[in-house]
Amino acid sequence: MFYEPSKGHGLPHDPSKAIVAPRPIGWISTLNRAGEINLAPYSFFNAFSTRPFIVWFSSEGAKDSATFAEETGEFVANLVSRDLAEKMNRTAVDAPRGVSEFGYADLAMASSRLVAPPRVAEAPAALECRVTEIFRPRALDGTQTSAIVVAGEVIGVHIDDAYLKDGQFDIVRAGNVARLGYMDYASVNEIFSMRRPRWPKD
């Protein structure tokens, strides 16, 4: 089949998120100036630079994570491991502002080193970030979309020593969780390696 997204797909459910998958989940913790804490998962999340280390998440509309990050200029991206998947899902609840999702999902908070927002104590890894830019992507006709993209430079990295093996982060042990399409998720339980090819020299 072929379809033009602007004209609809004709399927029972939108396949776009299943095609662009798996997507890592940014479990974003933020703090506003009033001291209110927010924790929410974002599947529109990834890293796009290593030098400097920059990550971003995209919010469909002005939700608390993007609003708080813009207000204070900081956020933490916590890693979702397989054993935390159900608690992560609980933090997706549309709770009123001022309600801490940490408490709602029975998660412990741990202090960050370089930013004010707390991190998820149980997470195998967490990235402390300072906002570098916030923007709204535009459609082909030039209009602003509802998406708010928050980019941040990683200024501190926490890794639970239990997930380090021979100097490498053990992705399989953590079972990194990713979002698929619809209501489906995946976790890493197998990896394989391939070396980048080298162009033959004469």
Side-chain angles (χ1 to χ4, degrees), residues 25 27 78-88 120 122-125 163 169-178 186-188:
I25 297 170
W27 205 7
N78 302 275
L79 176 66
V80 180
S81 53
R82 179 62 187 92
D83 62 334
L84 291 174
E86 285 71 24
K87 290 189 176 184
M88 173 276 295
V120 176
E122 300 91 333
Y163 295 91
F169 184 77
D170 193 338
I171 300 169
V172 173
R173 180 171 183 180
N176 292 27
V177 174
S187 66
V188 176

Side-chain angles (χ1 to χ4, degrees), residues 152-186:
E153 183 171 340
V154 179
I155 60 170
V157 179
H158 297 266
I159 301 175
D160 185 332
D161 290 343
Y163 295 91
L164 287 174
K165 181 179 180 182
D166 299 327
Q168 294 183 319
F169 184 77
D170 193 338
I171 300 169
V172 173
R173 180 171 183 180
N176 292 27
V177 174
R179 185 72 190 269
L180 305 176
Y182 319 113
M183 292 294 106
D184 300 323
Y185 294 82

Side-chain angles (χ1 to χ4, degrees), residues 6-200:
S6 62
K7 298 178 181 178
H9 46 73
L11 298 171
H13 303 283
D14 185 354
S16 63
K17 293 179 182 178
I19 294 170
V20 184
R23 299 184 307 281
I25 297 170
W27 205 7
I28 308 298
S29 50
T30 51
L31 179 74
N32 70 3
R33 290 197 187 105
E36 296 170 321
I37 296 169
N38 185 259
L39 177 65
Y42 288 84
S43 66
F44 290 138
F45 167 83
N46 221 313
F48 61 82
S49 173
T50 56
R51 297 180 183 174
F53 188 5
I54 295 178
V55 298
W56 65 266
F57 70 94
S58 178
S59 173
E60 296 275 13
K63 297 178 181 176
D64 284 352
S65 298
T67 301
F68 288 10
E70 183 172 25
E71 188 175 313
T72 63
E74 298 178 336
F75 65 92
V76 178
N78 302 275
L79 176 66
V80 180
S81 53
R82 179 62 187 92
D83 62 334
L84 291 174
E86 285 71 24
K87 290 189 176 184
M88 173 276 295
N89 191 48
R90 284 181 62 81
T91 65
V93 66
D94 188 18
R97 180 169 291 185
V99 173
S100 173
E101 290 82 4
F102 278 92
Y104 182 76
D106 192 27
L107 290 161
M109 286 187 286
S111 297
S112 297
R113 294 277 189 93
L114 304 174
V115 298
R119 57 192 173 88
V120 176
E122 300 91 333
L127 311 175
E128 296 186 15
C129 305
R130 288 216 175 105
V131 175
T132 56
E133 60 182 314
I134 297 175
F135 62 93
R136 289 179 179 266
R138 294 184 179 275
L140 282 173
D141 62 5
T143 59
Q144 283 189 334
T145 64
S146 63
I148 300 173
V149 178
V150 180
E153 183 171 340
V154 179
I155 60 170
V157 179
H158 297 266
I159 301 175
D160 185 332
D161 290 343
Y163 295 91
L164 287 174
K165 181 179 180 182
D166 299 327
Q168 294 183 319
F169 184 77
D170 193 338
I171 300 169
V172 173
R173 180 171 183 180
N176 292 27
V177 174
R179 185 72 190 269
L180 305 176
Y182 319 113
M183 292 294 106
D184 300 323
Y185 294 82
S187 66
V188 176
N189 56 26
E190 179 184 8
I191 61 173
F192 62 93
S193 299
M194 292 191 295
R195 291 191 177 275
R196 182 177 177 177
R198 294 179 180 270
W199 191 258

